[in-house]
């Protein structure tokens, strides 16, 4: 145990490995506000996040014990290095390491341990841009509430979190209703993701239906007129980190769906259905629409477990 308790969970359920770049899908769960979303980031943006936070922490020197401890923890972390070849195996190892890195940051920042202005608000400002820009709401979450979710006064797990106003949208597929896409494998007792253990090890959203809050494969990052604008925490270019942590999607031309699915890299041990792979694909590749992709595959194919090459005959770029 690291001694830090947080009502924020973060994990990386998949990556998209394309010839020119790799996108990592980051899922965020904030229990106090009951908001859930996903964003896509490139490896270079993880590097930039590490650099920006370290620069902030060392500027404080030794006058803040928490800054010094936080900086030391980041320095000791074995951050995945650059690689000329982005094979599936390389990306899969990065998924695990980058997820652990984000967990380290989240558990150090989003807790109620006393902090100075640097290891508290200034580092939080950096992380807010990284985690929120390009947010795709999930399970009825609302963009204006997502913007505010990483600017709370307290991140203690609450008994009765604020419930989002669920939009009147049908589940993405009847077979996905009530299923947890982002927590653990249904065919294995081994967890797919090592996300924070909140509420006794059970996912804080275990009873929710998994759905995107938009009809397209990705969401606008601007609040609608029906939402209360959160000016102080909005997804604005004025936050100073817009170019560094801009939202990322793959805008490559479409290829056959089955071929595109094979470019979704899953964590080691993951046993997902083809339907779940399509959900992850459409959240990262803008060409593919979720509903169209699901309707193009026969029902029996959607329920099949995805069997993609891991170490043999995998493509390398």
């Amino acid at each position: 145990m690291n001694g830090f308790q947080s009502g924020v969970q973060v994990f990386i359920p998949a990556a998209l490995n394309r010839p020119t770049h790799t996108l990592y899908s980051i899922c965020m769960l904030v229990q106090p506000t009951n908001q859930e979303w996903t964003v896509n980031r490139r490896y270079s943006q993880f590097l930039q996040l590490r650099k920006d936070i370290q620069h902030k922490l060392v500027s404080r020197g030794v006058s803040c014990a928490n800054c010094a401890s936080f900086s030391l923890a980041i320095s000791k972390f074995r951050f995945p290095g650059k690689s000329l070849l982005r094979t599936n195996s390389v990306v899969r190892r990065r998924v695990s390491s980058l997820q652990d890195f984000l967990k380290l940051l989240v558990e150090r920042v989003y807790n109620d341990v006393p902090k100075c202005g640097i290891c508290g608000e200034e580092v939080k400002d950096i992380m807010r841009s990284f985690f929120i820009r390009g947010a795709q709401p999930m399970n009825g979450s609302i963009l204006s509430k997502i913007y505010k979710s990483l600017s709370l006064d307290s991140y203690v797990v609450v008994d009765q979190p604020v419930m989002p106003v669920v939009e009147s949208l049908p589940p993405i597929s009847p077979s996905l209703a009530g299923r947890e896409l982002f927590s653990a494998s249904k065919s294995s007792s081994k967890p797919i993701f090592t996300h924070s253990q909140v509420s006794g090890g059970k996912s804080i959203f275990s009873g929710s239906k998994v759905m995107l809050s938009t009809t397209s494969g990705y969401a606008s990052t601007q609040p609608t007129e029906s939402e209360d604008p959160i000016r102080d925490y909005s997804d604005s270019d004025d936050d100073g980190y817009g170019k560094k942590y801009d939202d990322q999607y793959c805008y490559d031309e479409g290829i056959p769906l089955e071929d595109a699915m094979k470019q979704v890299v899953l964590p080691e041990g993951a046993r997902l259905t083809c339907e779940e792979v399509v959900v992850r694909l459409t959240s990262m590749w803008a060409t593919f629409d979720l509903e169209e992709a699901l309707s193009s595959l026969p029902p029996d194919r959607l329920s099949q477990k995805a069997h993609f090459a891991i170490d043999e005959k995998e493509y390398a770029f």
Side-chain angles (χ1 to χ4, degrees):
M1 297 294 291
N2 56 24
F4 297 100
Q5 295 184 353
S6 175
V8 179
Q9 298 184 44
V10 59
F11 41 100
I12 302 177
L16 179 65
N17 200 6
R18 292 293 294 146
T20 58
H21 63 282
T22 300
L23 291 181
Y24 297 87
S25 175
I26 303 170
C27 288
M28 296 290 296
L29 308 173
V30 180
Q31 192 265 356
T33 59
N34 214 11
Q35 296 296 296
E36 177 179 2
W37 68 94
T38 180
V39 295
N40 303 319
R41 294 291 180 261
R42 297 193 183 197
Y43 172 78
S44 60
Q45 292 175 304
F46 286 87
L47 280 175
Q48 187 66 52
L49 177 66
R50 180 174 179 263
K51 177 182 177 181
D52 288 344
I53 293 179
Q54 282 188 311
H55 178 74
K56 283 290 184 183
L57 294 175
V58 298
S59 66
R60 184 72 176 185
V62 295
S63 58
C64 174
N66 191 64
C67 281
S69 173
F70 194 179
S71 179
L72 181 61
I74 294 177
S75 298
K76 287 185 175 181
F77 184 85
R78 298 185 63 180
F79 196 88
K82 296 181 179 180
S83 177
L84 295 178
L85 295 178
R86 289 180 292 104
T87 65
N88 282 1
S89 295
V90 170
V91 172
R92 187 169 291 106
R93 288 193 295 269
R94 278 188 178 179
V95 165
S96 178
S97 297
L98 293 175
Q99 175 179 270
D100 289 342
F101 176 67
L102 294 183
K103 282 171 55 65
L104 166 66
L105 300 183
V106 164
E107 292 169 359
R108 294 291 302 233
V109 173
Y110 300 114
N111 59 60
D112 285 4
V113 175
K115 304 176 183 67
C116 73
I118 291 181
C119 58
E121 291 306 315
E122 293 193 26
V123 170
K124 192 182 294 182
D125 286 343
I126 298 173
M127 292 177 59
R128 184 187 303 121
S129 295
F130 181 88
F131 284 126
I132 288 182
R133 292 189 63 83
Q136 302 177 55
M138 303 291 291
N139 296 326
S141 296
I142 301 172
L143 281 172
S144 59
K145 290 182 172 60
I146 288 174
Y147 298 152
K148 194 174 182 179
S149 291
L150 297 184
S151 303
L152 304 178
D153 293 330
S154 174
Y155 287 93
V156 173
V157 176
V158 297
D159 294 333
Q160 295 181 336
V162 177
M163 298 303 294
V165 179
V166 180
E167 300 177 8
S168 300
L169 291 176
I172 55 177
S173 171
S175 63
L176 282 180
R179 185 184 301 176
E180 295 179 56
L181 289 187
F182 305 129
S183 57
S185 170
K186 298 302 179 183
S187 61
S188 171
S189 59
K190 180 180 179 181
I192 298 177
F193 314 114
T194 56
H195 56 273
S196 304
Q197 298 301 307
V198 179
S199 302
K202 183 179 180 181
S203 172
I204 58 179
F205 295 96
S206 59
S208 61
K209 294 181 179 180
V210 177
M211 65 178 76
L212 289 173
S213 294
T214 60
T215 55
S216 63
Y218 53 96
S220 168
T221 58
Q222 298 301 323
T224 64
E225 293 181 357
S226 62
E227 298 173 352
D228 294 329
I230 310 296
R231 287 191 296 270
D232 292 341
Y233 314 115
S234 65
D235 188 20
S236 168
D237 290 333
D238 295 333
D239 58 16
Y241 300 98
K243 293 183 179 180
K244 295 180 181 179
Y245 306 128
D246 202 4
D247 56 310
Q248 296 290 328
Y249 295 98
C250 173
Y251 292 103
D252 294 349
E253 293 184 2
I255 61 176
L257 178 60
E258 292 280 355
D259 292 338
M261 291 168 59
K262 294 178 181 179
Q263 298 187 24
V264 176
V265 181
L266 305 175
E268 185 176 358
R271 296 283 295 172
L272 273 65
T273 65
C274 291
E275 185 170 11
E276 292 166 332
V277 173
V278 169
V279 172
R280 306 199 192 287
L281 171 68
T282 56
S283 71
M284 293 183 282
W285 199 333
T287 300
F288 293 95
D289 177 78
L290 178 59
E291 293 184 1
E292 291 180 359
L294 291 175
S295 63
S296 68
L297 296 176
D300 57 340
R301 174 62 173 148
L302 291 175
S303 61
Q304 291 178 353
K305 293 295 181 181
H307 295 285
F308 301 144
I310 295 179
D311 294 316
E312 296 181 1
K313 299 181 180 179
E314 67 175 11
Y315 44 85
F317 304 118

